[in-house]
Amino acid sequence: MNQDGSILSVRDLDIRFELRGQSLHAIRGVSLEVQPGESLAIVGESGSGKSVFVKSFMGLLDQNGSIQAGEILYNGQDLAKFTTEKQWLTIRGREIAMVLQDPMTSLNPLKTIGAQIQEAITLHRGLKGPQARQATLEILSDVGIDQPEKRYKQYPHEFSGGMRQRVVIAIAVACRPKILICDEPTTALDVTIQAQILELIKAMQKKYNLTTIYITHDLGPGTPTPGPSSPPCPSWG
């Protein structure tokens, strides 16, 4: 936890991309604070830099992108000063995890669902063999996937879009992160499935004591509603 009591504090963050010999200023002086257990929504139009902003928390900027100024304070560490992949591996997945909007691009079509979840559990929690398998079956059940023993052996193409998104959430939560970033997690889903996924994320937040950050461009009925102490972050261009 940071000195001000927040779990994540971003101060005056500036991010630039070098593109065809020009410097593109993508993020200009953006700040936010998130308290433990809160839900925060970052709202802005497509292309406004929302995803770039949160990817900087996990060292996932493209190679031509860099943080030019500002701080990203997490548990007293300034993540903006991280320079190596080894440093980021102590944070990515283990402390801060992300659910992306398109589950098909998040899952490996050549690996079974069970193998992909178990891989995350082994990497971030150190469980192996029968213990890792059992933990995988438990998280599949937690995210509402019936017959986990059967589903464990299946491949992504055998799942519906909503089920694949549940698997992506399972992979993220299986790492036991402190912060879960949900980047447009319902965009590719039918309206009825969107509500189910949002309810699932809320249930996971409660069960695993997560702090959640939602990214969205949609202020419609399907938009996640932060708690009363967590107003949405204003959009920026």
Side-chain angles (χ1 to χ4, degrees), residues 112-177:
T112 64
I113 292 300
Q116 295 186 62
I117 299 174
Q118 192 164 321
E119 184 177 41
I121 289 173
T122 298
L123 177 63
H124 295 289
R125 293 169 57 187
L127 299 180
K128 297 180 181 179
Q131 286 184 316
R133 178 185 170 85
Q134 183 59 37
T136 300
L137 295 175
E138 289 174 2
I139 195 67
L140 279 170
S141 181
D142 284 347
V143 298
I145 294 179
D146 295 330
Q147 298 179 293
E149 289 273 4
K150 175 183 176 181
R151 295 296 192 177
Y152 178 96
K153 303 173 185 177
Q154 293 181 326
Y155 290 84
H157 73 270
E158 299 179 80
F159 285 60
S160 67
M163 294 288 276
R164 286 193 292 264
Q165 193 63 297
R166 289 176 183 270
V167 172
V168 172
I169 293 170
I171 292 172
V173 174
C175 301
R176 295 291 191 270

Side-chain angles (χ1 to χ4, degrees), residues 37-235:
E38 277 190 337
S39 294
L40 178 80
I42 300 177
V43 184
E45 63 186 11
S46 297
S48 62
K50 306 182 301 297
S51 295
V52 168
F53 181 52
V54 297
K55 283 181 178 179
S56 69
F57 306 166
M58 301 176 67
L60 293 176
L61 292 177
D62 292 340
Q63 288 187 347
N64 63 333
S66 61
I67 296 172
Q68 297 292 306
E71 298 176 322
I72 305 171
L73 301 177
Y74 172 75
N75 279 349
Q77 303 177 86
D78 186 359
L79 307 186
K81 293 181 178 178
F82 279 15
T83 58
T84 67
E85 184 68 7
K86 184 177 180 180
Q87 288 176 306
W88 282 115
L89 287 176
T90 66
I91 297 295
R92 189 185 304 139
R94 184 172 300 177
E95 299 290 329
I96 304 175
M98 182 179 289
V99 176
L100 299 175
Q101 57 183 286
D102 185 357
M104 278 307 288
T105 60
S106 304
L107 297 173
N108 187 334
L110 302 179
K111 288 186 176 183
T112 64
I113 292 300
Q116 295 186 62
I117 299 174
Q118 192 164 321
E119 184 177 41
I121 289 173
T122 298
L123 177 63
H124 295 289
R125 293 169 57 187
L127 299 180
K128 297 180 181 179
Q131 286 184 316
R133 178 185 170 85
Q134 183 59 37
T136 300
L137 295 175
E138 289 174 2
I139 195 67
L140 279 170
S141 181
D142 284 347
V143 298
I145 294 179
D146 295 330
Q147 298 179 293
E149 289 273 4
K150 175 183 176 181
R151 295 296 192 177
Y152 178 96
K153 303 173 185 177
Q154 293 181 326
Y155 290 84
H157 73 270
E158 299 179 80
F159 285 60
S160 67
M163 294 288 276
R164 286 193 292 264
Q165 193 63 297
R166 289 176 183 270
V167 172
V168 172
I169 293 170
I171 292 172
V173 174
C175 301
R176 295 291 191 270
K178 303 297 188 299
I179 298 175
L180 182 65
I181 299 172
C182 303
D183 188 0
E184 307 268 11
T186 62
T187 295
L189 305 176
D190 294 338
V191 174
T192 52
I193 304 301
Q194 289 180 7
Q196 294 176 18
I197 294 300
L198 291 175
E199 287 302 317
L200 172 62
I201 293 172
K202 290 179 183 178
M204 293 296 97
Q205 179 182 14
K206 183 176 181 180
K207 179 166 185 174
Y208 294 108
N209 194 29
L210 298 169
T211 300
T212 54
I213 299 175
Y214 292 92
I215 307 299
T216 184
H217 67 272
D218 184 7
L219 287 175
T223 304
T225 304
S229 63
S230 311
C233 180
S235 62

Side-chain angles (χ1 to χ4, degrees), residues 23-42:
S23 182
L24 174 63
H25 201 168
I27 301 294
R28 302 170 183 265
V30 177
S31 301
L32 65 75
E33 287 190 4
V34 188
Q35 300 298 317
E38 277 190 337
S39 294
L40 178 80
I42 300 177

